[in-house]
Amino acid sequence: MAAGGTVAAILIVGAVIFALRGESALPRLHIVDPASDPAPPRRPPEANARARTRTRSGGWAAGLIDGKPFDVLGPTEDEPGSFRSPIILAPPYDVVDAITFRTPRQRVRLAGVEGIRRGDVCFGEDGLKFPCGLMGRAVMSNFLRSNRVVCFPAIDRPEPEGETILADCYLGATDLAERQIRAGLARPTAETIGRFGTALAAAQEAHVGAWNGGWNLMDLPEDKRDGL
């Protein structure tokens, strides 16, 4: 009986203490109201920065996530939903103009640029005419020589043999379109001005190629511009 009375007394004292402390003895519950509760703070970009290295194959992206390396085979930001298979071209080359050349089996035009055509004649800063069309053709021919060129078609489908394809082409690490822009023999289109803007500005500042006279071309018929 004595032991039972002691246990009862302890329980009564405990209940009184619990009542006096109230809810402070219990952990607080946070009830989330989706309509009013603010969203959790987002991590700053630098906490999860991704340093990407893109290749022009249109598929590989590599970098770091939280300091750990990763490799992803998939579309890059500038080429959504596309894996462009490369075309490897070998000499001999027949250079048509500043941005177009042929092999025995394929005709290629550089994508994203408009260039000086083979029959074009430009006015220089001194007001005199010079054959900028022949210049554009010669610069491309001298660079290609007997080297292999890798091209990535702008359209992800095979073209019939002999048809002209639009492509991004590279000789080693050199982008042919960017090189011709820097030489003042091609200009980026409205869609690629962001990509080639630096090269364009450099050519304009140096007054090279057709920029010698501010890209001032003679008004010639289309067949004359093509050198026909």
Side-chain angles (χ1 to χ4, degrees), residues 123-203:
F123 291 100
E125 293 178 336
D126 54 7
L128 299 178
K129 295 179 287 188
F130 66 96
C132 53
L134 294 179
M135 179 188 295
R137 186 182 177 200
V139 169
M140 175 70 85
S141 181
N142 290 338
F143 186 61
L144 293 179
R145 293 185 180 274
S146 58
N147 297 297
R148 287 181 177 267
V149 175
V150 178
C151 294
F152 297 91
I155 301 176
D156 191 22
R157 67 169 182 264
E159 296 289 341
E161 186 173 315
E163 292 292 323
T164 300
I165 63 169
L166 289 174
D168 295 321
C169 295
Y170 298 83
L171 198 165
T174 301
D175 184 331
L176 294 187
E178 182 177 359
R179 189 177 190 275
Q180 291 299 81
I181 291 171
R182 286 187 180 276
L185 302 167
R187 298 185 296 185
T189 62
E191 292 77 17
T192 60
I193 188 65
R195 173 182 167 192
F196 295 125
T198 301
L200 176 63

Side-chain angles (χ1 to χ4, degrees), residues 2-225:
T6 302
V7 171
I10 292 172
L11 290 176
I12 291 171
V13 172
V16 171
I17 293 173
F18 183 86
L20 291 174
R21 293 181 63 185
E23 62 178 2
S24 62
L26 295 175
R28 280 186 170 274
L29 297 180
H30 178 61
I31 301 175
V32 177
D33 180 2
S36 60
D37 195 64
R42 301 183 67 177
R43 298 180 68 188
E46 59 271 17
N48 193 29
R50 297 187 178 188
R52 293 191 173 183
T53 303
R54 281 181 263 170
T55 68
R56 298 306 303 171
S57 63
W60 285 104
L64 300 174
I65 296 182
D66 289 336
K68 299 178 181 179
F70 73 95
D71 289 304
V72 178
L73 182 60
T76 56
E77 293 174 6
D78 59 345
E79 294 164 303
S82 168
F83 186 92
R84 301 186 297 164
S85 300
I87 300 171
I88 300 177
L89 303 176
Y93 301 109
D94 174 20
V95 176
V96 178
D97 57 34
I99 62 170
T100 312
F101 61 94
R102 286 191 295 245
T103 69
R105 303 183 61 176
Q106 193 68 66
R107 178 183 168 108
V108 178
R109 182 179 176 86
L110 301 180
V113 292
E114 57 181 26
I116 297 295
R117 287 148 74 170
R118 69 187 297 168
D120 276 335
V121 176
C122 296
F123 291 100
E125 293 178 336
D126 54 7
L128 299 178
K129 295 179 287 188
F130 66 96
C132 53
L134 294 179
M135 179 188 295
R137 186 182 177 200
V139 169
M140 175 70 85
S141 181
N142 290 338
F143 186 61
L144 293 179
R145 293 185 180 274
S146 58
N147 297 297
R148 287 181 177 267
V149 175
V150 178
C151 294
F152 297 91
I155 301 176
D156 191 22
R157 67 169 182 264
E159 296 289 341
E161 186 173 315
E163 292 292 323
T164 300
I165 63 169
L166 289 174
D168 295 321
C169 295
Y170 298 83
L171 198 165
T174 301
D175 184 331
L176 294 187
E178 182 177 359
R179 189 177 190 275
Q180 291 299 81
I181 291 171
R182 286 187 180 276
L185 302 167
R187 298 185 296 185
T189 62
E191 292 77 17
T192 60
I193 188 65
R195 173 182 167 192
F196 295 125
T198 301
L200 176 63
Q204 291 172 324
E205 184 177 351
H207 301 278
V208 294
W211 293 112
N212 184 7
W215 202 276
N216 185 11
L217 279 62
M218 283 188 66
D219 185 13
L220 296 173
E222 291 298 302
D223 60 340
K224 294 292 185 182
R225 293 193 66 197

